[in-house]
Amino acid sequence: MAKKIAPVEIALLIYPGCQLAAVHGLTDLFHVAERLFQRSNQRSKSVEHRMLKVSHIQFDAGSSSPPWADDGAPDFVIVPPSLETMPIGDAFAPIVKWLSDCHARGAVLASVCVGTFLLAQTGLLARRSATTHWSEAQFLAESFPEIHVDGDKLLIDDGDILTAGGVMAWADLGLRIVDRLLGSAAMLETARFLLVDPPGREQRHYSAFSPKLNHGDKTILEVQHWLQQDGARHPTIALMAQRAGLEERTFLRRFQKATGLRPTEYCQHLRVGKAREMLETSQQSFDQVAWKVGYEDAGSFRKVFIRITGLSPGDYRRRFRTQSN
């Protein structure tokens, strides 16, 4: 006789401005995963019961408290992305409290994209690693300096808290949860059925370099504009310092304080950005690309490219080149 076991409850949070496509996409993903799992194990009497229960938790704007009964916490709570306003501030205080309460009762919390900002406001991410959309990683780090923000990662699984990066990273998060609940075979079968890459991608494969320009140091900003136009092709510290009208030591200190990067790192990001564009839109060899962005040693630039993007130039071109290329 099959043993009756209560299904694992996965609650998807619906809040003002959230991406409903992620809510419905995750709902479908978990339903597909369970159906495939049951089909694969239909001869086993131990899996006749439901494995997963997906619920939607609605949080309406202007509510003083969330409209749900205080009768226990789900096993997982997923905060989807927002495509409108950033989910921070007093208006979200009730939902932040509910998330904290759920975690205290043993729920695993998860977020996608800027949904991480809701988790951040609970204080539960302090001294932990977390990710968000690459374009908001710096803002997250500045707003919550106690969090170790890793904008290169598409997914960080920290046991009781999971954070996923880009807007569409809900698929990666969903597959990771399927892996944890139903096993790797079920996760891979679900990924194949949905034609989704299994977890393992990195956000840096997709992120573009967004230099910090609102730091208020006009002298450094002028150097940044010069580097963007042409200066990053053959940069030297001496030349950049001369352009800024500063002593080299002073320039290095001010540049890193303003941009968060050393000048050499900054120029590497600019060069890689230009190389990515050429790999996407042209048929030039990588040696030609390396030379055009200012590297005489293509092998040296290849190492820099792999370190920043996480992909070899060939893999990057195969994944991201335009159809007309």
Side-chain angles (χ1 to χ4, degrees):
M1 182 176 180
K3 184 179 180 181
K4 298 298 182 182
I5 301 175
V8 173
E9 182 179 1
I10 304 172
L12 301 172
L13 191 60
I14 301 176
Y15 59 91
C18 78
Q19 185 197 28
L20 294 178
V23 174
H24 296 303
L26 281 165
T27 301
D28 290 342
L29 185 149
F30 292 129
H31 287 163
V32 166
E34 180 171 38
R35 186 173 72 248
L36 294 174
F37 181 81
Q38 295 283 10
R39 188 176 65 186
S40 297
N41 295 274
Q42 59 185 346
R43 295 181 181 178
S44 172
K45 298 297 183 181
S46 64
V47 293
E48 291 180 351
H49 56 274
R50 286 189 58 193
M51 305 291 292
L52 307 177
K53 174 187 175 184
V54 180
S55 58
H56 293 176
I57 303 296
Q58 182 82 40
F59 175 75
D60 295 320
S63 298
S64 59
S65 60
W68 43 65
D70 189 23
D71 56 356
D75 299 286
F76 285 79
V77 178
I78 300 177
V79 183
S82 171
L83 296 181
E84 297 182 12
T85 59
M86 188 69 71
I88 55 178
D90 293 342
F92 293 93
I95 196 170
V96 170
K97 182 181 183 303
W98 183 75
L99 288 169
S100 298
D101 291 344
C102 286
H103 183 265
R105 298 182 185 187
V108 174
L109 303 184
S111 65
V112 184
C113 193
V114 297
T116 300
F117 282 80
L118 274 173
L119 295 189
Q121 291 167 86
T122 67
L124 296 171
L125 291 178
R127 296 176 297 282
R128 291 176 179 251
S129 293
T131 189
T132 186
H133 193 282
W134 59 267
S135 67
E136 301 295 344
Q138 184 66 33
F139 181 47
L140 180 64
E142 293 172 351
S143 302
F144 302 93
E146 69 278 11
I147 300 175
H148 307 303
V149 180
D150 188 346
D152 287 340
K153 295 291 180 62
L154 195 66
L155 178 68
I156 294 179
D157 185 342
D158 201 26
D160 58 328
I161 297 181
L162 298 88
T163 54
V167 177
M168 297 300 293
W170 58 262
D172 299 78
L173 175 65
L175 289 173
R176 176 60 64 89
I177 292 174
V178 169
D179 193 355
R180 287 176 58 163
L181 296 178
L182 303 180
S184 57
M187 180 273 290
L188 290 172
E189 187 175 10
T190 303
R192 283 194 296 269
F193 182 86
L194 296 175
L195 299 180
V196 177
D197 288 339
R201 298 180 297 156
E202 294 186 56
Q203 195 161 206
R204 59 179 171 161
H205 298 169
Y206 306 88
S207 61
F209 177 49
S210 298
K212 189 177 178 182
L213 302 173
N214 60 348
H215 45 70
D217 191 327
K218 293 183 179 180
T219 299
I220 298 303
L221 183 60
E222 289 178 3
V223 175
Q224 289 177 267
H225 289 324
W226 171 69
L227 289 171
Q228 186 70 46
Q229 292 169 3
D230 189 51
R233 199 167 178 277
H234 296 289
T236 65
I237 300 299
L239 190 58
M240 285 185 274
Q242 181 183 2
R243 186 86 182 183
L246 300 171
E247 294 291 332
E248 288 188 22
R249 183 177 298 179
T250 302
F251 169 75
L252 287 170
R253 176 178 55 79
R254 283 177 58 175
F255 190 94
Q256 185 162 3
K257 180 181 179 182
T259 68
L261 295 169
R262 294 190 295 271
T264 51
E265 295 173 325
Y266 189 93
C267 291
Q268 286 174 346
H269 278 280
L270 287 179
R271 289 165 149 185
V272 167
K274 293 178 180 179
R276 288 166 71 151
E277 183 178 351
M278 282 186 267
L279 290 171
E280 293 167 10
T281 60
S282 78
Q283 296 183 0
Q284 299 173 79
S285 68
F286 184 71
D287 286 2
Q288 291 174 310
V289 170
W291 183 83
K292 286 190 174 182
V293 299
Y295 274 84
E296 294 181 0
D297 183 353
S300 175
F301 184 50
R302 183 183 299 273
K303 294 178 181 177
V304 172
F305 189 93
I306 293 173
R307 176 172 55 80
I308 290 177
T309 68
L311 294 170
S312 70
D315 287 340
Y316 184 88
R317 170 169 272 167
R318 281 189 289 273
R319 180 173 292 196
F320 294 107
R321 64 184 173 185
T322 59
Q323 292 185 351
S324 59
N325 178 14

